Amino acid sequence: MTQSGFLGCRQMFLVTLLGLLNVLPVSFGDTLELIRKIPHSGYSEGLDFHEGFLWNAIKDQILKIDPKDGTVLSRFQPPTEHSESVAWFKGRLYNLSFTNNGIYVGDLNSKGELNLERKGSTPEVHGWGLTHDGSQLIMTGNFSSKLYFVDPKSFQVIRTLQTEAKDIEDLAWDGEWIWTSSFTVDRGKIYALHPKTGKILGKYELPDQNCPIIDGIAFDGKNLWVTGKECPSIYYIKKPSPRAITSKK
């Protein structure tokens, strides 16, 4: 199947599933507190925050974005036709490819150029979400409910975690919990996942319904940045407190 054919099937699958099940957005969980929002291109495959800037993966580019006003400061060519999530880890940028299940790693050189080289393969046929917990890469796969904890040097899977979430998208680690969303269910919401049990500790709704498919979550050391597909904004939202999260077991 061609790349465009697979993406078309993915979207058709979503429409068919929601139609058959008559699924509507569920009002469950707290509404997130919006700090501010900035303009967005309207498409996302992943988001990270690094040294004061947002890094947004879209299909054919990796964007460096000014978080003050949404200005795109730099555009980089990803190593394959379809780029997925990105994560900065120990001064290097890691990037998953949807095209060929590759894990790519690179640096910004003195000229400001980003050179990415394939270093490993994603545990599933397509990589979707990516983050790290300070020692291991954490990633998910194609319509997957699993998280894979991967050694950043050997790129071997150290641990596989079955979660309560479905069709997991982009990932963010805040030092305690893993934040994510689903491609198909609980649209417009983000989840907090327990890193050891995989349980959903809380579901939190964006303050408006203009971001139907959340696929971009980043933690800046204090709060969360959230965006997605068909999403005109990147939202800067107050991270719910651990007390609020753990009360929703």
Side-chain angles (χ1 to χ4, degrees):
M1 181 181 292
T2 65
Q3 183 73 10
S4 60
F6 182 90
L7 293 175
C9 288
R10 178 178 172 183
Q11 190 65 31
M12 184 175 293
F13 167 82
L14 174 63
V15 172
T16 303
L17 177 64
L18 297 180
L20 289 174
L21 298 180
N22 193 27
V23 174
L24 297 175
V26 179
S27 296
F28 174 76
D30 296 333
T31 298
L32 293 158
E33 180 181 337
L34 178 66
I35 300 173
R36 59 188 175 87
K37 58 185 178 181
I38 58 176
H40 181 240
S41 66
Y43 195 83
S44 177
E45 295 288 7
L47 194 68
D48 198 19
F49 189 90
H50 175 66
E51 294 185 345
F53 298 98
L54 289 164
W55 291 76
N56 187 202
I58 59 178
K59 177 184 175 182
D60 57 357
Q61 295 180 70
I62 298 172
L63 309 178
K64 181 181 179 181
I65 297 173
D66 189 332
K68 294 190 296 295
D69 57 12
T71 299
V72 175
L73 301 173
S74 302
R75 299 176 185 268
F76 302 96
Q77 184 72 33
T80 61
E81 180 183 353
H82 195 128
S83 173
E84 286 277 350
S85 293
V86 291
W88 283 94
F89 179 56
K90 295 186 177 180
R92 309 197 78 194
L93 183 68
Y94 290 71
N95 176 218
L96 302 186
S97 171
F98 184 90
T99 307
N100 65 0
N101 82 321
I103 304 172
Y104 290 80
V105 187
D107 310 278
L108 283 171
N109 63 24
S110 58
K111 297 180 180 179
E113 300 168 332
L114 180 62
N115 300 305
L116 293 163
E117 297 181 357
R118 181 166 182 158
K119 297 294 185 180
S121 298
T122 57
E124 296 190 19
V125 65
H126 300 291
W128 279 19
L130 178 66
T131 188
H132 68 85
D133 62 4
S135 60
Q136 301 169 95
L137 300 173
I138 307 171
M139 60 187 70
T140 190
N142 192 52
F143 288 106
S144 184
S145 60
K146 295 179 180 179
L147 294 178
Y148 300 93
F149 293 76
V150 175
D151 185 288
K153 294 182 179 179
S154 69
F155 297 96
Q156 297 300 304
V157 176
I158 299 169
R159 179 167 67 99
T160 301
L161 178 64
Q162 177 66 54
T163 77
E164 293 180 335
K166 297 182 183 297
D167 307 327
I168 300 172
E169 287 280 16
D170 194 31
L171 306 170
W173 168 254
D174 71 356
E176 294 181 279
W177 319 116
I178 299 167
W179 292 90
T180 190
S181 61
S182 171
F183 179 64
T184 55
V185 298
D186 293 313
R187 309 188 87 190
K189 295 177 176 63
I190 62 173
Y191 306 158
L193 294 177
H194 195 291
K196 293 184 178 180
T197 67
K199 290 185 177 297
I200 295 175
L201 303 178
K203 295 182 182 180
Y204 300 88
E205 189 169 35
L206 284 178
D208 63 49
Q209 296 296 315
N210 291 328
C211 194
I213 302 176
I214 294 174
D215 191 5
I217 303 180
F219 180 65
D220 66 3
K222 185 176 181 181
N223 292 301
L224 297 168
W225 294 88
V226 178
T227 193
K229 299 173 173 65
E230 303 173 24
C231 189
S233 302
I234 300 176
Y235 300 84
Y236 189 40
I237 56 178
K238 184 176 180 180
K239 185 178 79 72
S241 69
R243 181 179 300 175
I245 296 172
T246 54
S247 67
K248 296 178 179 295
K249 292 183 179 180

